[in-house]
Each structure stands twice: as C-alpha cells, then as structure tokens.
Amino acid sequence: MKHKIKPILYIAGILLLFATCTRQPHASALLQQTDSLLHHHQPDSALQLLFNIKDETSLPEAERMKLVWNKAMAHYQLEMSLLEDSLLYQAIAYYRQQPTDTARLLDTYLLEGMYLRWKEANDEAITVFDKGIALAISRKDTTNMLVLQRKKLEVLYKQSRFLECKAMIEDMLRIAHKLPVKEHYQMVYSLALVSQLGEIHRTLIVRRKGFN
C-alpha cells in the first residue's frame, strides 16, 4: 500500500508545483502598477506592462477582470477603439456587483457607452450615458457626472442633434461654479457653436421641405 501511495504523492507534488509556477505571481504587482499609471494618465506605459501578462486564463477572477478593465481604460485614455475589448462586459458586470466603489461604478457606464460608440450603436450609448449621469447625480458626484455628460454631448453632436446639445450645455452651465475656468469657456464657445449649427440645420430642413 505504501508503495502505491508514494507515486500518487509524487505526481500530486509535481502538479502543485506546475500550478504554482503558472500562476504568474508577478501579475498582481503589474496590475497594481497599471492602476497607478492609469490614475496618472499614462496609458501607453500601462499597456506595455499589461502586455507582459501572457496567460490570462491562469489568473484568479479578480485579477483577470482587472486586466480586462485596465486594458479597456488604457484604450479609452489613448482614444483608441474599444472594439477589441470583447471581454469588457464581463468586467463591467463584475464591477457593478461592487456598488460601494462609486468612481469605478460610474466608470462602468463610461466604458460601456464608449464601447457602444465604437460599435456605432449611438442611441444605445446615449441610454447608457443617461443611466450613468442619473447615478452620478444621485451620488452627488459632479466630476464623473460632467465626464459622462461630455461623452453624451459628443454623440449628440455627431448625430447633428444640435438642439439637444444646446439644452445639455445650458444645463451644464447652470453649475458653472463647479467647472474649471478653461472648461467653462469651452462650454460657452460650444453653446455658441451648436446654436449656430442648429439654426443652419433647421434652415436646411425647411428648404428641403420647400423643394418637396
């Protein structure tokens, strides 16, 4: 019996050693570094570190989700397409189960909306941004509310929905005291621009109707 047990223990030891070696113990440290890099808006450096993590499937769920999330956030900060982040929805679902982290929770709406933008699903993106804006207002998070509003504004502008842009900017300017000075001036300029574009757009529509 003893002779049978020893080979079994030997094989189990080898398997345990193999599993330990393939866990990528450096992954946790790398992910923490990328958290810091992304916080300080250094997404290119973060991506370089993330690409050093080769076998994603061997990571624990928390680290795997952080890897997916940080890659998507780096792409967002670099204004790159998020279409390759096909696992993003898994990370979004994972972080929405942790509602106490308000900043991360609101970022789930930001990244989901941006992913939909890259898919040209603009109406769906607006719906997602609206949910995030409502949540930010309920949690009195003005900073993230403004970020989500700006992204929604970009989608509306892209769709030539200038009247809705105008109404949004006017709402944003009502909290001008919470806007940085530079951003306040940008909003004033944007308001003048979309107001003018709205008039031009409306005139063109009237003329088209006249021709018909």
Side-chain angles (χ1 to χ4, degrees):
M1 187 68 180
K2 288 182 180 179
H3 295 294
K4 291 182 180 179
I5 292 175
K6 285 184 179 180
I8 294 172
L9 292 174
Y10 178 73
I11 293 169
I14 292 176
L15 291 173
L16 181 62
L17 179 63
F18 177 77
T20 303
C21 291
T22 57
R23 275 181 191 165
Q24 302 185 80
H26 67 293
S28 179
L30 286 178
L31 288 168
Q32 287 182 1
Q33 290 179 53
T34 59
D35 282 342
S36 177
L37 288 168
L38 290 170
H39 180 72
H40 291 94
H41 297 280
Q42 297 177 324
D44 49 348
S45 299
L47 276 180
Q48 289 177 17
L49 290 181
L50 292 168
F51 287 143
N52 289 327
I53 302 174
K54 303 299 182 185
D55 185 10
E56 300 177 13
T57 58
S58 68
L59 299 176
E61 182 184 28
E63 291 183 1
R64 192 168 65 255
M65 292 300 98
K66 182 179 282 192
L67 175 62
V68 171
W69 178 270
N70 284 6
K71 278 184 179 179
M73 185 58 75
H75 291 154
Y76 162 71
Q77 289 188 8
L78 288 166
E79 298 184 358
M80 294 170 60
S81 171
L82 271 69
L83 291 178
E84 67 179 76
D85 299 294
S86 55
L87 298 177
L88 179 58
Y89 271 98
Q90 292 183 28
I92 287 171
Y94 177 80
Y95 287 115
R96 282 188 186 161
Q97 294 173 2
Q98 303 172 28
T100 54
D101 187 348
T102 297
R104 181 65 63 88
L105 181 59
L106 291 172
D107 278 345
T108 65
Y109 293 96
L110 173 64
L111 288 186
E112 183 182 3
M114 295 303 296
Y115 178 77
L116 290 167
R117 270 189 62 183
W118 282 105
K119 286 184 66 178
E120 298 291 334
N122 293 314
D123 289 339
E124 293 175 39
I126 288 172
T127 298
V128 170
F129 288 139
D130 279 338
K131 289 179 181 177
I133 291 166
L135 180 61
I137 291 171
S138 71
R139 299 204 174 190
K140 299 180 180 179
D141 190 327
T142 305
T143 300
N144 282 301
M145 179 194 72
L146 290 170
V147 171
L148 290 161
Q149 284 183 325
R150 282 195 295 271
K151 295 306 171 185
K152 177 185 174 181
L153 194 60
E154 289 172 7
V155 179
L156 292 173
Y157 185 86
K158 183 180 177 182
Q159 293 183 306
S160 299
R161 294 161 65 173
F162 301 121
L163 290 178
E164 292 176 68
C165 288
K166 181 174 180 290
M168 267 199 73
I169 295 172
E170 287 172 344
D171 285 341
M172 293 168 77
L173 286 172
R174 289 192 182 98
I175 55 169
H177 61 287
K178 295 184 179 180
L179 292 172
V181 175
K182 183 179 178 181
E183 187 167 349
H184 173 72
Y185 285 126
Q186 286 176 340
M187 285 291 105
V188 172
Y189 172 78
S190 297
L191 179 60
L193 177 63
V194 296
S195 297
Q196 185 177 16
L197 289 171
E199 287 299 320
I200 294 171
H201 190 253
R202 184 167 58 183
T203 301
L204 288 173
I205 291 173
V206 170
R207 286 180 179 176
R208 284 173 188 168
K209 288 180 178 178
F211 286 128
N212 293 332

